Amino acid sequence: MSTQADLTITIIYENSLYEPGLTAGWGFAALIEYQGHTLLFDTGADGEALVANMAALNIDPLAIESVVLSHIHHDHTGGLDALLATPARPEVIVLPSFPEAFKRQVARTVTVVEATPDQITADGIFTTGEMNGSTPEQAIAIEIEQGMVIVTGCAHPGIVAIIERVKETSDKPIHLVLGGFHLKDKTRAEIASIIQAFRRLGVERVGPCHCTGEQAITAFAEAYGDDFVSIGTGTILEFQSPADSAVG
Ligand SMILES: [Zn+2]
Ligand SMILES: [Zn+2]
């Protein structure tokens, strides 16, 4: 009855639980389905939970063409081994700075690709490539009718820097920024100025989760109201181009 969404993001693993029956835990993994392409962004900390949650959500591991790993921390890479123990053989997009031993280990099973800046992983999807921070990291950006959707792992290079980086590449509005914003050690005043920066950059909707911190999540929820997107394990977000949903 409904037409297929242009973009579907399914949160497979995150700190909090949205859908009963799934397993939540500290970490992040999101499935991105976009115009016939299926990508997994990060793999969470617990491979058993990742694979079980995928089964419960009717996600076929074989459909995953590529896995984009945001950064080397275990709560984002820990589920990869379990995924590669299934018949799935996605290419794995890592940062050039990842430890050689990690790349070699993954390359025994699948193709490993080192991300370059603005690398297109599928038509309309690109990664920022490696950005410097307390830990180097990449974020992914997806172009939909309404603008760009940015998905971040932990945002160690700074969530504002990541949004600015995407804006260098795309002149589309920033429709949604979702993922870990890593603001748990920030003061109230610092959080307020980051929210101001979001406004200045024209970020329309936000879905802070994972390592963002309770105080910052609450502040974003208050500032964004209806444009705050609540995220947990099992959340499914569907984006339709406005034209598609028009009554015809
Ligand atoms: Zn993390
Ligand atoms: Zn991290």
Side-chain angles (χ1 to χ4, degrees), residues 15 26-28 42 70-71 73 75-76 153-154 156 180 182 210-211:
N15 305 29
W26 182 271
F28 190 70
D42 285 344
S70 65
H71 65 300
H73 288 163
D75 54 324
H76 300 258
C154 268
H156 292 295
H182 208 73
H210 178 42
C211 59

Side-chain angles (χ1 to χ4, degrees), residues 108-188:
R108 286 198 190 116
T109 320
V110 291
T111 305
V112 173
V113 177
E114 296 189 358
T116 54
D118 299 334
Q119 182 175 347
I120 307 217
T121 57
D123 263 351
I125 305 187
F126 66 88
T127 127
T128 58
E130 181 160 335
M131 292 178 67
N132 291 325
S134 56
T135 303
E137 186 164 337
Q138 60 181 334
I140 201 161
I142 308 133
E143 184 180 329
I144 58 170
E145 185 84 20
Q146 296 89 328
M148 303 306 295
V149 174
I150 302 173
V151 185
T152 64
C154 268
H156 292 295
I159 187 64
V160 173
I162 289 171
I163 300 165
E164 285 170 340
R165 179 75 188 70
V166 170
K167 282 185 82 77
E168 283 168 19
T169 305
S170 169
D171 49 19
K172 283 227 165 198
I174 306 295
H175 181 63
L176 170 66
V177 182
L178 109 90
F181 294 1
H182 208 73
L183 304 175
K184 56 183 163 42
D185 301 321
K186 300 283 185 207
T187 64
R188 212 172 272 271

